[in-house]
Amino acid sequence: MKKIAYILIALLMAAGCEDKPTPDTPVTPPDKPETPVDPPVKEETLAEKIAGEWHCVVSDIDADIYLALMSDNTFELYQKVGEGSHRLYRGSWSMNETSRTLSGRYNDGTEWGSSYETAVSEDKNSMTLVPKAATTKEEHVYRREAVPASVKEGCVVVVKSTGCGMPVL
């Protein structure tokens, strides 16, 4: 009977022991936690790049021009040709991402005089517009710059885009 008791105790002790790998047995590492995968970076569209306020610094037109392209696809065009105050024209704009073409329509329903092939510098601080309807390919270069408060406060709001003081776009 003592033998049976010793055997039972030995079996219980053996059952409670952990198998330890021998030097010849490969050790399996515990499962590694999955490293989080960063979501793919969404490339910014051309429309997103041009949204903002711009000041025309190079043009064949002798004028002071500010263009605010809002992210809701509306725009405000402030232009001063000659003496007097800036004139404010409003409307909506759209961008064809494939052809890189910017076009717009004033609030009175009049289309811009041309659509524009659009390019933006790598640092997104310079935008070049080349009219597609023009026989010559003059470039209008804009620098990212806020429309000054003095221009906004002193401008004349134009409701009809045709007639005297036509807008440059």
Side-chain angles (χ1 to χ4, degrees):
M1 191 63 100
K2 280 187 180 183
K3 280 188 184 180
I4 294 176
Y6 288 125
I7 293 174
L8 283 174
I9 291 173
L11 286 173
L12 287 172
M13 288 177 67
C17 293
E18 182 181 331
D19 264 351
K20 293 191 178 167
T22 63
D24 298 335
T25 307
V27 177
T28 306
D31 289 339
K32 291 182 182 177
E34 286 190 34
T35 55
V37 177
D38 291 334
V41 176
K42 180 185 173 258
E43 189 170 326
E44 195 174 28
T45 65
L46 184 55
E48 291 168 331
K49 289 177 184 177
I50 67 170
E53 296 183 350
W54 300 90
H55 185 211
C56 187
V57 292
V58 175
S59 176
D60 62 339
I61 302 166
D62 185 25
D64 187 31
I65 304 164
Y66 289 91
L67 177 60
L69 299 167
M70 276 64 97
S71 58
D72 67 355
N73 289 83
T74 60
F75 73 86
E76 293 181 342
L77 170 66
Y78 300 84
Q79 75 175 37
K80 181 171 112 175
V81 179
E83 298 297 316
S85 301
H86 282 81
R87 294 180 180 269
L88 169 60
Y89 300 89
R90 291 186 171 118
S92 60
W93 64 274
S94 63
M95 173 60 68
N96 180 316
E97 295 286 335
T98 306
S99 65
R100 304 177 67 81
T101 302
L102 174 66
S103 56
R105 176 185 304 258
Y106 296 99
N107 280 345
D108 68 358
T110 304
E111 296 284 335
W112 286 356
S114 176
S115 55
Y116 296 85
E117 185 176 323
T118 308
V120 177
S121 64
E122 271 190 47
D123 65 2
K124 300 179 217 160
N125 287 323
S126 178
M127 171 176 68
T128 303
L129 302 179
V130 179
K132 289 193 161 212
T135 54
T136 60
K137 296 294 182 185
E138 70 268 8
E139 291 185 349
H140 304 273
V141 180
Y142 290 77
R143 177 180 61 232
R144 192 174 293 277
E145 182 181 321
V147 179
S150 61
V151 169
K152 288 182 178 183
E153 293 164 3
C155 70
V156 174
V157 178
V158 178
V159 177
K160 190 167 174 69
S161 63
T162 54
C164 185
M166 295 283 288
V168 294
L169 292 178

